[in-house]
């Protein structure tokens, strides 16, 4: 099938490359010429596993790049809209890019097309897109608008696309549903998975994935409700972690105990310094705004956001309580990205914490496997970058772990201890076992678990004379 994908940002680029891998002919449309030139020249603008392979495989063949939206619409049976929907001041999604794309699409509709929302958009967007295309004079029989939300996580987006838990298509006509079913048939019928050149199957893959057909409004809500629910799970466990700290319980044990209930599930119950990124913060806020506008006061979501912000402050208090004053202290920081496996620092809790510590007068030396260039653009001075975790720890008063990169969970602890001025680790992602760290000679602070100290170290040295 011939498909146009509008917007070569994160979602559009991954979707375009994956549709090409399923065997479709894809035109990726963007009005940013420098982006198009970079893509045509083989550059990969985002840090995403398997994306370089897919782009190399299909660039110039099944995947072409264009700035001519009208022509791409004319040539395609389905047009996926994957342009940005940034938050406005009041937390709503700004849909002006979606609107202008909808208007332009109408110019290329000469025979039946399905226009598919792929960006995360609030409920009613498909109705608006339909109205805009109609207002531009398009024959109502020549198009349908559908919603096909994505559930891609940064870092594993290609795998998430090709091995999804489910495919949701929100269609208000059988004709549009048939086209979307056909597009995803290589996945739902399993032919993709039998190919020798398929992207490697992850653990826990649902093969073949189910396709869930709903109304377009339900599909729009499924996307917002999924992200809000996952954010709620994270805030819930962070709140439980705070109770654990007050009563001296261990949140990891609590997570194990509740997560093994299949109704609850273990995933997305990792406590830490809160969720960040370009999706959860924006989507929880947008869903809150959508609910308010529709007449429902979704206060639960306010609390989800509040707990998330508080989690960063709690971590800062933990740093202060471990080190007392922060002015002039040398701190090593591991992790700047909003999560492991990505170079993305948007709404990163790690960046928030680093900026707060700089403000308090600490000297930070940070290391991140991928996010240092972006951080340097954002914070051009006042922060030193290291070439390795050990260099970040060198001579530091304490080491802070702020992102859950896998490599940070497997550090050479002996070497780390030798590099640090004081063997103090404040771990915002619970990557290590508390007792084990004490046995390795560290004073170790984490989230939702009692601090642990090496044998023979008087607790009085650390927290107001009391063991934390
Ligand atoms: C999220 C969703 O997981 C995807 O399903 C969705 O498609 C995507 O948003 C989107 O709307 O585009 P993503 O933002 O890439 O994906 O990242 P996640 O892996 O969900 O992590 C989000 C944040 O939550 C990170 O800061 C992470 O560190 C934090 N997190 C995650 C926790 O603190 N604890 C956990 O247990 C899990």
């Amino acid at each position: 099938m011939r498909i146009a994908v509008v917007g070569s940002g994160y979602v559009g680029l991954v979707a375009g490359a994956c549709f090409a891998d399923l065997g479709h002919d894809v035109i990726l449309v963007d009005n940013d010429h420098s982006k198009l030139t970079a893509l045509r020249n083989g550059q990969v603008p985002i840090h995403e596993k398997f994306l370089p392979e897919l782009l190399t495989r299909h660039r110039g063949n099944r995947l072409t790049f264009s700035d001519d939206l009208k022509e791409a619409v004319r040539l395609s049976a389905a047009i996926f809209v994957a342009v940005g929907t940034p938050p406005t001041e009041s937390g709503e999604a700004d849909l002006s890019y979606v609107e202008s794309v909808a208007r332009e699409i109408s110019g290329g509709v000469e025979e039946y097309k399905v226009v598919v929302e792929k960006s995360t958009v609030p409920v009613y967007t498909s109705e608006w897109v339909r109205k805009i295309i109609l207002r531009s004079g398009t024959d109502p029989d020549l198009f349908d608008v559908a919603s096909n939300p994505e559930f891609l996580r940064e870092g594993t987006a290609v795998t998430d696309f090709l091995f999804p838990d489910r495919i949701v298509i929100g269609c208000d006509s059988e004709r549009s549903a048939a086209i979307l079913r056909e597009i995803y048939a290589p996945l739902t019928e399993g032919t993709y998975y039998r190919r020798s050149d398929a992207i490697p199957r992850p653990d826990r893959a649902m093969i073949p994935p189910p396709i869930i057909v709903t109304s377009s409004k339900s599909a729009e809500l499924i996307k917002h409700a999924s992200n809000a629910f996952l954010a709620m799970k994270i805030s819930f466990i962070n709140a439980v972690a705070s109770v654990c700290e007050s009563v001296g319980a261990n949140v990891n044990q609590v997570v194990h105990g509740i997560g093994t209930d299949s109704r609850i599930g273990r995933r997305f119950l990792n406590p830490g310094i809160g969720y960040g990124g370009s999706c959860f913060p924006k989507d929880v806020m947008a869903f809150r705004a959508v609910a308010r506008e529709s007449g429902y006061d979704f206060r639960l979501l306010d609390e989800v956001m509040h707990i998330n912000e508080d989690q960063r402050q709690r971590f800062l208090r933990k740093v202060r309580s471990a080190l007392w004053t922060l002015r002039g202290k040398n701190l090593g920081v591991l992790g700047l990205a909003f999560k492991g496996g990505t170079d993305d620092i948007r709404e990163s809790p790690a960046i928030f914490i680093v900026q707060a510590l700089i403000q308090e007068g600490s000297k930070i030396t940070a290391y991140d496997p991928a996010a240092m260039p972006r951080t340097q653009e954002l914070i051009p001075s006042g922060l030193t970058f290291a070439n390795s975790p050990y260099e970040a720890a060198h001579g530091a008063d304490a080491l802070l772990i702020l992102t859950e990169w896998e490599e940070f969970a497997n550090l050479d602890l002996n070497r780390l201890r030798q590099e640090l001025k004081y063997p103090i680790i404040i771990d915002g992602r619970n990557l290590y076992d508390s007792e084990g760290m004490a046995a390795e000679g560290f004073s170790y602070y984490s989230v939702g678990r009692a601090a642990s100290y090496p044998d023979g170290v008087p607790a009085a040295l650390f927290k107001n004379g009391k063991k934390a």
Side-chain angles (χ1 to χ4, degrees), residues 184-201:
Y184 285 105
L187 300 181
T188 54
E189 289 171 7
T191 51
Y192 179 75
Y193 307 115
R194 294 195 282 278
R195 268 173 36 191
S196 58
D197 63 347
I199 291 297
R201 161 188 312 213

Side-chain angles (χ1 to χ4, degrees), residues 445 453-454 456-468:
Y445 302 80
Y453 306 99
V457 172
L461 274 179
F462 293 97
K463 200 190 166 197
N464 306 332
K466 281 188 289 175
K467 260 198 168 189

Side-chain angles (χ1 to χ4, degrees), residues 41-92:
N41 290 340
Q43 287 174 28
V44 186
I46 51 175
H47 184 87
E48 198 58 55
K49 208 170 169 192
F50 300 123
L51 188 61
E53 287 89 325
L54 289 191
L55 290 177
T56 308
R57 206 182 269 183
H58 302 298
R59 183 185 306 116
N61 304 314
R62 281 207 207 114
L63 182 61
T64 54
F65 306 99
S66 167
D67 62 351
D68 190 344
L69 176 55
K70 204 168 146 186
E71 177 67 359
V73 170
R74 211 179 53 75
L75 292 171
S76 306
I79 301 102
F80 286 79
V81 180
V83 295
T85 55
T88 62
E89 287 277 291
S90 58
E92 290 161 26

